[in-house]
Amino acid sequence: MVVSALAAATLRKVLPNHMNQLVPALWDTLGKGLKSQGYFIKMSKDLAVPPEIPKEDGRPKWDNKFQYILSCIGFAVGLGNVWRFPYLCQIHGGGAFLIPYFIALIFEGIPLLHLELALGQCLRKGSIGAWNTISPYLGGVGAGSWMVSVLVSLYYNTVLTWVMWYFINSFQEPLPWSVCPLNENRTGLNKECYESTAVNYFWYRKTLNITPDVTESGTLQWWLILCLATCWAIVYLCTIRGIETTGKAIYVTAIFPYLVLTIFLIQGLTLPGATDGLAYLFTPNLSTLKNPRVWLDAATQIFFSLSLAFGGLIAFSSYNPPKNDCEKDAVTVAIVNSMTSIYASIPVFSVLGFKATTGYWDCLDRNIISIINEFDLPEESIMRQNYTAWISFLNSSYPEKIAGLKLKSCDLQEFLDQSVSGTGLAFIIFTQAIILMPGSQAWAILFFIMLFSLGLSSMFGNIEGVFTPLLELRIIPKSIPKELLSGIICLSCFLIALCFTLGSGSYWIDIFDRYAGSLPLLVIAFFEVIGVVYVYKIKRFSKDVKRMTGRKPNLYWQITWRFVSPLLLLIVFVAFVTLQIQKSPSYAAWNPKYEGFPMKEEKVYPPWVLAICVLLAVLPCVFVPLVALFQLIKRTCRSKEPSCVPPEVFSCQGANSNFSHPKE
């Protein structure tokens, strides 16, 4: 039988006050005696208080496990899976890049993801509350995560603003980026458009209205302001009550992109040149693995793709019940995220192969027309199929005439090598390919809806990383409803993000992405692992995981948490900083007056812009030492008081004891 510790409280009631101090010793003696007779006693840490039947803590909960997994996948799977991963495969040896990518996934991505999900589920708090609870000295880790989420939310939603602008314009016939407009005198084509392309002109002039230098702010673009306001309004409606509303919206925003990717996959495989694009993607060039940059890019791609150290994953998992298999969740989310990257690469490179093939054919056709006119040959005497043979013959027979034609060198491989990532892939390369596809309007609409859904589900995680910690901080009165707090967050972000709608806005988004959304995350993640393994202690954390999942973390988790993951993060951090120091930070400016136009002009950031770059990189990181120093000073001052008790490291066991029914 099991004797409840409730008896201890009963003894306190019946004994006089001066004998209450005997209760613990008496109960301990009784327990040992009963145990020797084969009985077992469930002891409470505080014998004066019986374990209470768990009550609802008022914290929202996921409707079901699938909703939670979808939210984590939606947060992890974002725009980078579509426009960053394919680019890295393209420049780093195709299929060979998958080798360092999966090594980084196994030894860096999955362990850190499991750690964050387990931490949030165990403590049932957001990033700031979780790290403050573990140890006051680690409070800066949570504050740093919160700051990164704020900074990333500012510019990430502006990218969705661009997507929305393209989506609105996708309903025009013909697509506005397919033709160049007339000049002011209506006597010819616009000069900037004519010297570049219609796609470039629509992106740089009609969308961004970009300035030629980061120091020239330009004016606010009213069309971007309207789209930005609409995007923040949508984010507000979806996050108005935290997971209670995002949990409903995630069914659409997380699932819909897979449907569109599948449609693009089917269409892409039917396009001419698709097989060339896929062969280019998956043909491994193992010699690239000798380049350290390949390994660095693989490690950083895994890290940023899983949205680690933002605080959003900790917030999401904090709404789970204590008894949940967070280990299985981490592996599931990580694998789905990586498989999505590979799956998205197939339609992307099918379309890019189609674009390269059509560009190659256009090059051949222009050369063929020049040759036919020069030599007065019959039409269709030279075809794409026999072009190489004709060129060889004419070069040997009439070398001077051929040289005078100044024919362009047409090589399919060169067209396939035209690599670009980020906004360049989405708004220039892909939109140019869409123009060439039958039914281009429909494909443009589908493509930009997909990008918006991907970005919106990632925004849910960013806002949750901001929203949840603010709810838990004591500085926010409990009387403030969630709807008002969410509205204040979205309105504040909208007003600050107006600077990104200036003519120089795209330059600043690149700065925010390069400095605020990269280096600080590596630092925060490093201190997360160190905090859990060496401050909270890995043995205690392993017991907590066993209590939640029903099994103790195996040797793989122990080794990666203790040694491999921190070491990898440290190596990536040092390599990242080294590469940044080796050359002065620069940016590519779109300048129609540049002598090399339409090539971009490479410029160096002025000193005051460099100072802002450093500030963005340091601001989230500086919370870690500052909060620790503040707590140390605070403890030193209090230690002079006789009644001062040193703070103890928190244990999840004590926290979760209130969430599980005592066995009778």
Side-chain angles (χ1 to χ4, degrees):
M1 64 177 290
V2 177
V3 182
S4 172
L6 180 62
T10 306
L11 284 174
R12 279 194 178 276
K13 292 181 180 179
V14 299
L15 290 175
N17 289 336
H18 67 276
M19 295 185 66
N20 277 342
Q21 58 186 354
L22 299 176
V23 171
L26 178 61
W27 189 249
D28 184 60
T29 303
L30 178 61
K32 290 179 180 177
L34 288 174
K35 188 174 182 180
S36 65
Q37 300 298 321
Y39 299 95
F40 298 90
I41 295 180
K42 181 173 182 179
M43 304 295 293
S44 175
K45 286 186 176 180
D46 184 3
L47 295 177
V49 181
E52 298 178 358
I53 296 175
K55 298 178 181 179
E56 292 294 330
D57 59 352
R59 192 172 186 80
K61 296 179 181 179
W62 298 105
D63 292 345
N64 51 67
K65 180 68 172 285
F66 182 61
Q67 187 184 73
Y68 162 66
I69 293 295
L70 267 186
S71 297
C72 290
I73 291 174
F75 184 32
V77 175
L79 298 174
N81 296 73
V82 175
W83 66 31
R84 177 68 178 168
F85 179 82
Y87 164 76
L88 292 176
C89 286
Q90 184 180 11
I91 66 172
H92 289 323
F97 179 73
L98 297 179
I99 297 174
Y101 178 81
F102 280 111
I103 290 176
L105 174 67
I106 293 171
F107 293 106
E108 180 192 40
I110 296 178
L112 291 174
L113 182 59
H114 184 197
L115 185 143
E116 288 201 356
L117 295 183
L119 197 65
Q121 181 176 313
C122 176
L123 300 178
R124 295 175 64 79
K125 292 184 178 181
S127 57
I128 296 179
W131 291 107
N132 273 327
T133 303
I134 285 182
S135 174
Y137 298 104
L138 293 174
V141 177
S145 295
W146 182 85
M147 180 55 67
V148 170
S149 292
V150 171
L151 294 175
V152 171
S153 296
L154 290 176
Y155 75 84
Y156 200 89
N157 215 27
T158 308
V159 177
L160 296 188
T161 298
W162 299 338
V163 173
M164 176 170 285
W165 172 246
Y166 267 78
F167 169 72
I168 293 171
N169 281 276
S170 296
F171 290 92
Q172 296 186 39
E173 176 61 39
L175 291 173
W177 57 84
S178 62
V179 291
C180 282
L182 298 175
N183 57 24
E184 293 180 358
N185 299 328
R186 306 187 68 82
T187 57
L189 297 178
N190 178 280
K191 182 181 178 182
E192 182 181 349
C193 184
Y194 178 76
E195 291 179 352
S196 57
T197 63
V199 171
N200 283 333
Y201 179 78
F202 185 82
W203 168 239
Y204 289 109
R205 190 56 53 211
K206 305 301 288 184
T207 300
L208 303 177
N209 196 18
I210 196 168
T211 58
D213 196 279
V214 69
T215 58
E216 298 180 25
S217 298
T219 59
L220 293 172
Q221 317 304 322
W222 63 266
W223 55 90
L224 292 182
I225 294 176
L226 292 179
C227 290
L228 181 66
T230 304
C231 287
W232 275 111
I234 293 173
V235 170
Y236 171 66
L237 291 175
C238 293
T239 61
I240 190 169
R241 290 189 56 80
I243 67 164
E244 297 172 55
T245 47
T246 59
K248 307 296 187 296
I250 201 67
Y251 288 112
V252 177
T253 60
I255 296 176
F256 183 74
Y258 290 95
L259 175 62
V260 177
L261 279 175
T262 303
I263 295 173
F264 264 98
L265 174 63
I266 297 171
Q267 168 66 9
L269 293 177
T270 63
L271 297 173
T275 53
D276 294 319
L278 294 179
Y280 185 88
L281 170 64
F282 291 113
T283 302
N285 180 11
L286 298 178
S287 62
T288 59
L289 298 181
K290 299 176 183 178
N291 184 0
R293 184 65 196 235
V294 177
W295 296 84
L296 175 61
D297 283 346
T300 52
Q301 174 63 17
I302 278 292
F303 185 82
F304 301 134
S305 177
L306 288 173
S307 301
L308 299 170
F310 280 92
L313 292 171
I314 294 178
F316 278 154
S317 62
S318 71
Y319 299 109
N320 274 335
K323 299 291 184 180
N324 175 64
D325 196 342
C326 51
E327 177 183 317
K328 183 180 178 181
D329 296 343
V331 175
T332 301
V333 172
I335 291 177
V336 170
N337 175 72
S338 296
M339 291 300 104
T340 301
S341 296
I342 297 174
Y343 186 66
S345 298
I346 298 175
V348 167
F349 269 88
S350 297
V351 174
L352 292 182
F354 164 67
K355 178 183 175 297
T357 300
T358 54
Y360 171 66
W361 287 348
D362 288 342
C363 180
L364 291 180
D365 291 342
R366 285 193 295 269
N367 287 353
I368 289 172
I369 292 173
S370 298
I371 294 172
I372 289 176
N373 291 338
E374 176 67 22
F375 292 93
D376 198 22
L377 297 172
E379 290 187 9
E380 298 186 359
S381 58
I382 304 178
M383 307 291 288
R384 295 169 186 166
Q385 292 80 2
N386 60 7
Y387 172 80
T388 305
W390 269 98
I391 284 293
S392 300
F393 168 72
L394 294 174
N395 266 326
S396 59
S397 304
Y398 309 97
E400 294 181 358
K401 278 191 173 184
I402 291 295
L405 289 176
K406 296 181 180 180
L407 300 176
K408 290 187 177 181
S409 175
C410 300
D411 185 359
L412 179 60
Q413 190 65 32
E414 290 183 3
F415 285 96
L416 289 170
D417 286 338
Q418 294 176 359
S419 59
V420 65
S421 69
T423 55
L425 176 63
F427 299 112
I428 297 178
I429 299 298
F430 219 86
T431 50
Q432 196 168 17
I434 286 176
I435 295 172
L436 305 172
M437 296 167 61
S440 56
Q441 268 185 301
W443 294 114
I445 291 170
L446 275 178
F447 178 66
F448 290 112
I449 289 180
M450 179 192 70
L451 289 185
F452 192 84
S453 298
L454 284 171
L456 189 60
S457 58
S458 294
M459 274 299 297
F460 292 163
N462 288 330
I463 295 299
E464 197 62 42
V466 177
F467 183 77
T468 302
L470 287 180
L471 278 180
E472 297 169 349
L473 288 176
R474 296 179 181 178
I475 60 174
I476 303 295
K478 292 185 178 180
S479 59
I480 294 182
K482 290 182 179 180
E483 296 84 354
L484 179 59
L485 179 59
S486 180
I488 292 172
I489 292 172
C490 292
L491 180 61
S492 302
C493 289
F494 164 71
L495 294 176
I496 298 172
L498 285 175
C499 65
F500 297 130
T501 65
L502 293 167
S504 60
S506 61
Y507 298 133
W508 287 106
I509 285 182
D510 184 57
I511 289 172
F512 269 69
D513 185 51
R514 191 185 304 181
Y515 295 100
S518 56
L519 188 65
L521 295 174
L522 295 173
V523 175
I524 292 167
F526 177 77
F527 281 102
E528 281 186 351
V529 180
I530 296 300
V532 169
V533 175
Y534 299 106
V535 177
Y536 184 71
K537 302 300 181 184
I538 190 64
K539 289 184 179 179
R540 185 185 292 116
F541 185 66
S542 297
K543 290 180 181 178
D544 295 332
V545 173
K546 182 180 180 181
R547 191 174 301 105
M548 293 185 291
T549 64
R551 58 187 179 277
K552 187 177 180 180
N554 57 35
L555 189 62
Y556 160 73
W557 300 112
Q558 299 288 338
I559 293 176
T560 52
W561 284 335
R562 289 173 185 262
F563 311 111
V564 180
S565 293
L567 183 61
L568 275 177
L569 286 171
L570 192 60
I571 292 173
V572 171
F573 172 78
V574 172
F576 191 90
V577 173
T578 303
L579 288 174
Q580 293 294 326
I581 295 175
Q582 282 179 351
K583 68 173 186 176
S584 299
S586 60
Y587 66 102
W590 181 262
N591 184 8
K593 296 180 181 179
Y594 174 54
E595 59 182 9
F597 186 80
M599 298 294 292
K600 288 187 175 181
E601 183 180 4
E602 196 72 17
K603 293 186 176 183
V604 178
Y605 287 121
W608 68 273
V609 175
L610 279 177
I612 295 177
C613 294
V614 174
L615 178 64
L616 289 173
V618 171
L619 183 60
C621 304
V622 79
F623 281 104
V624 178
L626 282 183
V627 172
L629 181 62
F630 171 76
Q631 292 295 338
L632 182 61
I633 295 173
K634 184 178 177 182
R635 179 181 176 183
T636 303
C637 294
R638 286 186 175 181
S639 64
K640 298 177 181 179
E641 301 176 10
S643 59
C644 176
V645 179
E648 296 182 358
V649 176
F650 178 80
S651 171
C652 277
Q653 183 175 359
N656 282 339
S657 62
N658 292 330
F659 300 109
S660 57
H661 289 273
K663 295 179 181 178
E664 297 297 329

